[in-house]
Amino acid sequence: MDHEVIKPGKLSETCGVCGGFADDQPLAFLTCFALYALQHRGQESAGIAAGPGEGRKMWLKRGMGLVSDVFPESADLKGIVCRLAVGHVRYSYGEGGRSPENSQPLKLRYRHGELAVIHNGHLLNSGQLREELESQGAIFQTDTDSELLAHMVARQGSSDLEQALCEVVPRLKGAFAFIVTDGHKVIGLRDGYGFRPLSVASLDGGGYFMASETCAFDTIGAEFMRDIEPGEMVILDEEGMHSRQVIENPCSKLCIFEYIYFARPDSNLQGENVHLVRRELGRQLAREHPVKADIVSGVPDSSIAAASGFAEEAGLPYEMGLVKNRYIGRTFIKPTQKMRDEGVDIKLNPVKKIVEGQRVVLVDDSIVRGTTSVKLIKIMRRAGAREVHLRISAPPVKGSCYYGIDIPDAHELIAYNRPEEEIPAVTGADSVGYLSLDKTVEAVGLPAGRLCRACFSGEYPLL
Ligand code: AMP
């Protein structure tokens, strides 16, 4: 693995992107609703660029917080005259990630007009490309790969955005789903491996819309057409939709973690519904790791489907052993040291009357550092569970992710250099069972070669 390229602590992003082109549609308003549907992909900042506005300049609003914080009066967006719009929700990690200047869309002026850029993913060679540009005098104002792409497009020289992107995109190495607009066209792009998802839909009443996940289309009444292919560029403009392949020899390696944890259950990725995949993961888990128990509970929200699949397959009752408070942000700090020490969790609360005296199968979608598992086992025992059997609907996470999913450095992972037999002792569970990689892939329903499984297998495409 090339440690020169991957700098630990570097900014990475797992975001939601969307954007469309249409005449006579309230596109900024629709984009806002699509962002609501993509909110699970990032809660740190949100933004929309729309254009061309009055005086042909693009309209832009972005800020820190949830979509509802940045666009509290979304109905006002109906008044924005535009025929194209792009929107972004952001989740970043790594050094300097959480700062307002990194919120997107990024809007810049260059010699041919304006550009607005949004992206999801992580470029492996961004350090090298930045250094190259900086040595030529480029000044960067943000840490984002969006700004890097904008600089590359501006320097390429062509006034035709499509042409400029065709020239520069093959130089990008890594995982990306970009949407770029110059006020005339909206262009969506996926890297040659298709690590991060991006699909396109037709809008009721004319026009097209792209989004990271298909759940965004349902929210705005758009009709899913197809996934954008790895290495493909889809162009939306006044002539409609057309496409060209910009990266040679593409192959599909959609991130398997999208199915396991990240995507919304009502989304379809590569034709497979996320909820149904998770239920099947649970069923396979019950077959691989059966256990004598009284009830099955899932860790809300992402593990409910897997837990219900487990319960169904095992012939055990599915019970709501844990309740999640949905109104606590990720920056929440527990009020007292005593609460922190005792592991009291204000986000997840057990239903004592359900777990008391029971042998509980607790299903979670993944163990990363192990912090959540240790805490959950304590919570269940304190609530009176007689036994707690942890079942994980994914294999052990053994390596970090270089393609945009927030997975810490390998040495922080509970399963790094640790045999599976030791995990029960470390988490405090009576038993722990992980789903095997083969069965995980089988549950997704796609050939193994079409999925990136690097965090489980250690085989990293591109490295
Ligand atoms: P950990 O506590 O570090 O073991 O993280 C595992 C828990 O976090 C599980 O309950 C997962 O549902 C959730 N999770 C898994 N992957 C991620 C991620 N990339 N970002 C945030 N949460 C995650």
Side-chain angles (χ1 to χ4, degrees), residues 91 257 261 302 364-373 405-406:
Y91 175 117
F257 229 80
Y261 167 78
S302 50
D364 202 354
D365 55 76
S366 53
I367 309 185
V368 182
R369 289 187 180 87
T371 324
T372 308
S373 307
I405 290 277
D406 184 6

Side-chain angles (χ1 to χ4, degrees), residues 290-305:
V291 59
K292 279 197 178 137
D294 303 307
I295 59 166
V296 179
S297 284
V299 181
D301 291 313
S302 50
S303 308
I304 303 294

Side-chain angles (χ1 to χ4, degrees), residues 256 260 281 284-285 288-289 392-396 420 433-443 456:
I256 198 168
I260 292 166
L281 288 165
Q284 298 273 11
L285 185 60
E288 269 198 335
H289 295 286
I392 306 298
S393 58
E420 259 179 74
Y434 286 99
L435 189 60
S436 67
L437 185 52
D438 285 353
K439 293 295 172 191
T440 304
V441 170
E442 205 176 303
F456 303 128

Side-chain angles (χ1 to χ4, degrees), residues 212-283:
S212 298
E213 284 184 43
T214 61
C215 63
F217 302 146
D218 302 338
T219 310
I220 61 169
E223 181 91 17
F224 168 79
M225 292 168 69
R226 64 179 181 87
D227 295 327
I228 295 176
E229 295 297 325
E232 187 190 11
M233 173 195 271
V234 168
I235 303 109
L236 311 179
D237 60 19
E238 53 196 9
E239 280 161 29
M241 176 175 125
H242 65 277
S243 124
R244 57 202 277 188
Q245 192 67 27
V246 278
I247 297 171
E248 284 175 14
N249 305 319
C251 66
S252 195
K253 291 271 179 211
L254 181 68
C255 163
I256 198 168
F257 229 80
E258 292 275 355
Y259 292 100
I260 292 166
Y261 167 78
F262 210 63
R264 231 171 79 157
D266 48 343
S267 288
N268 301 325
L269 302 168
Q270 297 196 117
E272 305 296 332
N273 172 256
V274 172
H275 171 79
L276 293 178
V277 167
R278 289 183 186 159
R279 207 169 64 185
E280 185 56 25
L281 288 165
R283 286 199 190 110

Side-chain angles (χ1 to χ4, degrees), residues 165-225:
L165 284 168
C166 283
E167 298 296 328
V168 303
V169 166
R171 293 197 61 207
L172 307 177
K173 186 177 165 189
F176 54 86
F178 275 105
I179 303 183
V180 188
T181 179
D182 58 358
H184 304 285
K185 299 173 185 208
V186 174
I187 300 183
L189 288 160
R190 272 178 97 193
D191 67 73
Y193 289 84
F195 290 113
R196 307 262 65 91
L198 191 63
S199 308
V200 63
S202 58
L203 284 165
D204 191 21
Y208 300 93
F209 201 84
M210 298 184 252
S212 298
E213 284 184 43
T214 61
C215 63
F217 302 146
D218 302 338
T219 310
I220 61 169
E223 181 91 17
F224 168 79
M225 292 168 69

Side-chain angles (χ1 to χ4, degrees), residues 98 137 172 194 299 318 321 349 384 392 419 431 462:
R98 289 177 200 146
L172 307 177
V299 181
Y318 173 81
N349 197 36
I392 306 298
S431 73
L462 272 172

